[in-house]
Amino acid sequence: MLKQPMPESHTWRAMDAVRSLFQASIPSSGFLWAKSNPHSQCKGCGEICELLRWGEVQRRRDSAYHGSSPPRMVHRSYLDLDLCAGVSGCDTCRVLRRAFLLEQITGQDAERLEHPNNQFPIHAVLSLGSSGDSRLLLAIESPRDVLFSATIHLSNEPRPLPHSLTKGAPSLRSDLSELRRVVDDCHRNHECSSRYRWSRRNPTWLLKILPDDFVQLVEGPPTPVDYVVLSYSWGNPTTMPVDEWARIKGAGTKTIKGRPVPERLNPFRVRELPETMQDAIMVSASLGFFYIWIDNVCIPKGTNWDTEASLMHEVYGNSAFTLVASSSGKATDHLLHDRLAWTHRSKACQLRELWWLHNAQMPLDRVRFESPVSRRAWTLQEERLSPRVVYWAGQRWYWSCPECQVAEMGEPERISPTADDTTSRSCPQRFLELCRTGDEHQLHEEWLDIVEAYTRRDLVAPKDRFLAIAGLAVRFYNAKAANGGTAVTEDYLAGLWKDNFARHLAWSVVSALDSRQNLQHIAPSWSWASLPLQVHTQTKAPFKPSEHFKFIAVEHTGPAHASSKEDVTRTETGDPLTDYVNRGRAVEERGRGVKVIQVQGRLRRFIPENAQGVSWDAIEWRRGGRLSFDFGAFSGQPIYARNKADGRITSKDAHGGEVVGQLDYVVPSEDKPRDRFTPYVQEGREKEIVCLELGELAMLLLVPNRKWGQPESYRRVGVAIGYANRKGFFYGCETKTVRLA
């Protein structure tokens, strides 16, 4: 029977691997610092040399010159580059090839580089910075879009190169010994455990890793054990075959009379679980950890999901570390992939005797915010509640703890674990650090950052809108409670916090949304949780609270959470630590059911009664990149205008400045004027908008809530922030108590 021929690119890669093995067997003390072989260059190297020559000319003319060269094509395609790096042994092409691969976060991203549909010319641009820094910017461009990009740093001096992955030939698989050293160093020499471990309790259920590729679901032992937590993306059920989604869901542990089924309580084979879980189990065992917590397996079906969700701060806070599956797009993807960036040994590369080429390390933030796992709502608290995190990307892993960040084959970056330092660096553990230090102002700002990150993410079940951040809310409240003090004024209100309520109310959408996807059946209009999923919000505009605004009371909660303040204390047992934990859980559970509140503040119309409506195009003024307003055609007239595309709305008195607001929703094409309870402002009803002062330059935009049929009852439709042209907008206005629903 005839066998299928090996693809040409794979053939050349195999030949190159054999040659690398041969070269590795020859002693060479200066191997890592060897210059690029001038004979191992190609036409693409010549094109890059032309770019460098252009840069030298600019620097001679002006040593502070900054700008970019015209682009030059260096290769006809990625496969052409790959072939040149492997067969010709071109050192420059090896650096270029590695640059593209290191930019790919998932294993599938690296494979996409080789796909026949992605074979387009590679262009390079030389970018010169005013501070003397220089970079080569690479791009693979189709006729319609940039498919892949990469960056190579240039310097006049060589830099240390990463050591080989193994002592022998280059490996396409991970060498976990370096990661094991990093993990052990943290546990032995850092204060992460003593400072950030929440308690000595294990999760209710853990997966025990047994020999011979078996695992077993066991109850959490009574004494603390070291366990790993897996943070991963289940995937989007709408974009995968039905049977594949069924396999992911089917990995969940079933129960009989409240107990896991015998098939899970007895040892079972690892291969019965989806691929991401299989590989996570292998990594954990290879690092010397024999317990792992995976949500789908360790929260048996029929378990009280609300209770388990509020305990997530313990599950993640007490773990040895959290393993984030950044290289997987869905649970059926492998976590471990051939790391093609390291096919060839690292070697210093120099061109024109002046320029050394260096591969850049992808910043940890890019891995955090661009990997598929970052699009899943549940994984936000998994990251923010974990003192130690391993991000497993397609080409390398990254470690982050409050004291150190390390990229595989990179130098450790030591971090001073003080609150002041957390404000100037991006660190997944910033929330935990602020909870520990008790900086109230920074803690509230961090919550607003959490809201921005959370609203961008997706949920398979929108009903879990509050559950997916319940652990963060419990941890926030317990930080404010300060060891169970009796004078705690903080309260959780549908995703917002009472002690800084005006600030938390002042969130806005970047652009008005389609109202048909709203979640006002889950959360009140004044809460960001009522917005559709996957929405960009803004929460951190400059804010100074108004002395006239005051939170009064919670007036109504949903049927499932209709408890009163007294109910929160019924969970107290007399043990200070237990009561401290239970109080936070009770406050969070009650808070997610809040529907109607009473607040006090200055109230007035947003649009004057006698204002004339005009088109947005009649007042918007554009000059180049500037955007402003021109009211010259309406001098001495009160007017208002509404941008139907993005939801901006402006109101201007006859002789005063304008106020520009942002509505939450646009008017849908099938607007029904008789529907009086829509979340958007219907066309022709703009004059119904009233505004409630939150801060010196911040207001809520409200409309009467006829659904309640009570006086001074409103629902939110937008916000206005930063109206510097009308600082006296609320002067002389009456202070009223109003209901917000």
Side-chain angles (χ1 to χ4, degrees):
M1 184 172 62
L2 293 176
K3 295 184 178 180
Q4 291 293 328
M6 182 182 292
E8 185 180 33
S9 61
H10 292 189
T11 302
W12 291 122
R13 188 177 296 138
M15 292 173 61
D16 189 61
V18 172
R19 185 176 63 244
S20 296
L21 281 169
F22 176 73
Q23 292 174 342
S25 66
I26 302 175
S28 177
S29 59
F31 177 79
L32 287 178
W33 287 110
K35 287 187 180 181
S36 177
N37 182 351
H39 300 293
S40 298
Q41 295 182 356
C42 64
K43 184 177 182 297
C45 301
E47 296 297 324
I48 291 177
C49 285
E50 289 299 319
L51 292 176
L52 299 180
R53 184 178 293 108
W54 175 90
E56 293 163 12
V57 171
Q58 308 309 317
R59 290 290 196 213
R60 283 198 296 269
R61 293 173 178 172
D62 179 3
S63 59
Y65 175 85
H66 63 94
S68 298
S69 71
R72 298 186 76 96
M73 190 180 83
V74 296
H75 270 288
R76 293 171 298 185
S77 66
Y78 176 80
L79 286 179
D80 187 45
L81 171 70
D82 186 49
L83 195 66
C84 189
V87 178
S88 301
C90 176
D91 299 321
T92 304
C93 288
R94 290 185 173 187
V95 175
L96 270 59
R97 175 183 176 275
R98 178 169 292 169
F100 278 114
L101 287 165
L102 290 179
E103 289 289 314
Q104 311 311 312
I105 296 176
T106 70
Q108 286 78 8
D109 288 339
E111 294 171 1
R112 284 177 54 234
L113 282 165
E114 296 185 345
H115 196 280
N117 292 344
N118 296 328
Q119 301 312 307
F120 295 97
I122 301 175
H123 290 90
V125 169
L126 177 62
S127 174
L128 301 177
S130 56
S131 59
D133 57 307
S134 306
R135 297 177 299 166
L136 276 175
L137 307 179
L138 309 174
I140 300 176
E141 302 178 67
S142 74
R144 290 181 294 183
D145 197 10
V146 175
L147 302 179
F148 304 94
S149 61
T151 300
I152 292 175
H153 290 269
L154 302 170
S155 67
N156 300 124
E157 297 291 337
R159 296 178 184 175
L161 296 170
H163 296 291
S164 300
L165 294 177
T166 62
K167 294 180 180 179
S171 173
L172 298 182
R173 289 290 181 178
S174 303
D175 177 15
L176 294 174
S177 59
E178 182 184 358
L179 178 56
R180 180 63 185 266
R181 287 192 295 270
V182 172
V183 175
D184 289 346
D185 178 63
C186 179
H187 281 270
R188 292 174 182 172
N189 301 319
H190 296 177
E191 297 181 348
C192 299
S193 293
S194 60
R195 283 181 169 175
Y196 302 98
R197 188 181 181 97
W198 178 254
S199 70
R200 293 177 58 80
R201 282 193 296 202
N202 296 309
T204 307
W205 296 97
L206 285 168
L207 203 56
K208 188 174 183 180
I209 304 173
L210 305 173
D212 302 322
D213 293 327
F214 278 87
V215 289
Q216 179 182 9
L217 189 67
V218 299
E219 293 187 72
T223 57
V225 295
D226 287 330
Y227 62 91
V228 175
V229 170
L230 175 63
S231 176
Y232 65 108
S233 173
W234 286 33
N236 186 346
T238 64
T239 60
M240 68 175 72
V242 175
D243 58 342
E244 188 174 8
W245 179 247
R247 183 170 171 240
I248 294 171
K249 293 282 287 184
T253 298
K254 299 177 179 63
T255 57
I256 299 177
K257 296 181 179 181
R259 289 281 297 177
V261 293
E263 290 84 353
R264 287 291 165 88
L265 294 177
N266 295 322
F268 63 95
R269 291 197 175 276
V270 172
R271 65 169 177 264
E272 296 180 22
L273 300 174
E275 282 74 6
T276 297
M277 301 180 194
Q278 294 179 31
D279 287 351
I281 290 168
M282 191 280 286
V283 170
S284 300
S286 298
L287 293 172
F289 296 95
F290 298 100
Y291 289 94
I292 188 169
W293 188 90
I294 303 173
D295 57 359
N296 197 19
V297 180
C298 298
I299 303 180
K301 298 181 186 302
T303 300
N304 187 322
W305 186 239
D306 288 24
T307 300
E308 290 294 330
S310 64
L311 289 172
M312 289 302 101
H313 64 290
E314 287 196 78
V315 171
Y316 291 93
N318 296 342
S319 66
F321 65 86
T322 295
L323 176 61
V324 177
S326 301
S327 67
S328 302
K330 55 185 184 296
T332 50
D333 287 343
H334 276 288
L335 176 70
L336 304 176
H337 298 269
D338 284 345
R339 302 190 302 170
L340 303 177
W342 313 106
T343 303
H344 312 298
R345 285 181 178 273
S346 300
K347 192 174 181 181
C349 181
Q350 186 184 31
L351 293 176
R352 291 188 54 77
E353 300 297 327
L354 293 174
W355 305 84
W356 293 84
L357 280 60
H358 308 281
N359 287 121
Q361 175 180 303
M362 182 187 294
L364 174 57
D365 277 358
R366 279 198 55 195
V367 178
R368 289 178 60 200
F369 301 138
E370 296 181 16
S371 61
V373 73
S374 71
R375 296 192 285 270
R376 182 177 173 231
W378 283 97
T379 62
L380 179 66
Q381 69 174 6
E382 294 169 4
E383 177 189 65
R384 302 290 178 103
L385 292 172
S386 299
R388 292 168 290 265
V389 186
V390 174
Y391 297 87
W392 197 278
Q395 303 298 311
R396 70 193 330 163
W397 51 257
Y398 296 75
W399 166 270
S400 179
C401 73
E403 295 190 31
C404 185
Q405 290 182 351
V406 184
E408 185 177 9
M409 294 174 291
E411 292 299 318
E413 178 189 352
R414 297 294 170 182
I415 299 172
S416 175
T418 65
D420 290 340
D421 288 339
T422 63
T423 63
S424 61
R425 59 183 170 85
S426 177
C427 179
Q429 291 81 19
R430 175 176 164 79
F431 174 70
L432 287 180
E433 178 63 28
L434 292 172
C435 287
R436 186 184 72 84
T437 59
D439 186 322
E440 184 169 352
H441 171 73
Q442 290 295 331
L443 189 56
H444 275 279
E445 291 298 306
E446 185 65 14
W447 183 264
L448 296 176
D449 182 75
I450 286 171
V451 169
E452 281 194 13
Y454 185 66
T455 56
R456 297 186 181 197
R457 299 180 178 223
D458 197 12
L459 275 166
V460 173
K463 65 182 178 61
D464 291 340
R465 183 70 147 176
F466 288 119
L467 285 176
I469 57 165
L472 287 165
V474 172
R475 190 69 181 86
F476 182 101
Y477 178 83
N478 285 333
K480 296 290 294 292
N483 297 321
T486 57
V488 181
T489 61
E490 189 62 276
D491 202 3
Y492 186 54
L493 306 170
L496 288 67
W497 293 97
K498 182 175 76 69
D499 282 358
N500 205 351
F501 196 57
R503 177 81 169 97
H504 286 238
L505 279 173
W507 55 266
S508 65
V509 296
V510 173
S511 184
L513 311 167
D514 182 346
S515 64
R516 292 171 296 183
Q517 306 299 321
N518 80 84
L519 301 179
Q520 290 191 10
H521 61 290
I522 293 173
S525 67
W526 45 266
S527 169
W528 51 263
S530 67
L531 295 172
L533 300 173
Q534 294 181 286
V535 168
H536 285 208
T537 55
Q538 295 176 332
T539 63
K540 295 180 286 187
F543 186 87
K544 186 176 182 180
S546 167
E547 61 182 16
H548 301 280
F549 181 88
K550 182 180 179 182
F551 175 84
I552 303 298
V554 173
E555 183 173 306
H556 176 69
T557 57
H561 304 282
S563 57
S564 64
K565 278 274 188 181
E566 289 75 19
D567 292 320
V568 171
T569 63
R570 290 178 185 173
T571 58
E572 297 188 359
T573 64
D575 177 67
L577 179 59
T578 301
D579 291 345
Y580 172 52
V581 173
N582 289 347
R583 194 176 301 121
R585 290 168 54 189
V587 166
E588 184 279 325
E589 183 177 353
R590 173 181 178 273
R592 63 177 112 120
V594 172
K595 300 297 183 184
V596 183
I597 56 171
Q598 291 183 15
V599 296
Q600 188 179 83
R602 294 197 290 188
L603 202 72
R604 62 157 287 177
R605 281 181 175 274
F606 181 63
I607 299 171
E609 181 66 30
N610 62 340
Q612 172 191 355
V614 301
S615 72
W616 191 265
D617 291 339
I619 62 170
E620 191 171 60
W621 178 85
R622 291 177 181 271
R623 293 292 187 276
R626 286 189 61 195
L627 180 65
S628 186
F629 296 100
D630 182 357
F631 299 104
F634 308 99
S635 299
Q637 301 179 50
I639 65 169
Y640 72 93
R642 178 177 183 176
N643 188 316
K644 297 179 182 180
D646 62 19
R648 283 178 293 159
I649 186 169
T650 186
S651 171
K652 184 183 183 301
D653 288 343
H655 301 289
E658 75 278 5
V659 177
V660 181
Q662 174 63 58
L663 297 176
D664 296 335
Y665 298 102
V666 296
V667 178
S669 56
E670 69 280 9
D671 182 29
K672 298 177 182 179
R674 286 181 291 180
D675 183 359
R676 308 178 75 182
F677 308 126
T678 57
Y680 57 88
V681 179
Q682 295 176 332
E683 287 193 71
R685 293 184 178 272
E686 289 83 2
K687 289 186 180 180
E688 295 184 359
I689 299 175
V690 297
C691 37
L692 174 69
E693 184 184 33
L694 299 175
E696 291 190 359
L697 294 176
M699 66 173 82
L700 276 186
L701 303 182
L702 310 168
V703 294
N705 191 9
R706 298 181 180 87
K707 185 176 181 180
W708 280 77
Q710 296 179 349
E712 305 300 346
S713 180
Y714 299 92
R715 56 184 172 82
R716 171 189 160 126
V717 291
V719 69
I721 299 174
Y723 39 94
N725 291 329
R726 291 295 302 277
K727 293 183 178 180
F729 191 75
F730 287 93
Y731 286 173
C733 293
E734 182 182 359
T735 299
K736 293 185 177 182
T737 298
V738 299
R739 297 177 181 86
L740 301 181

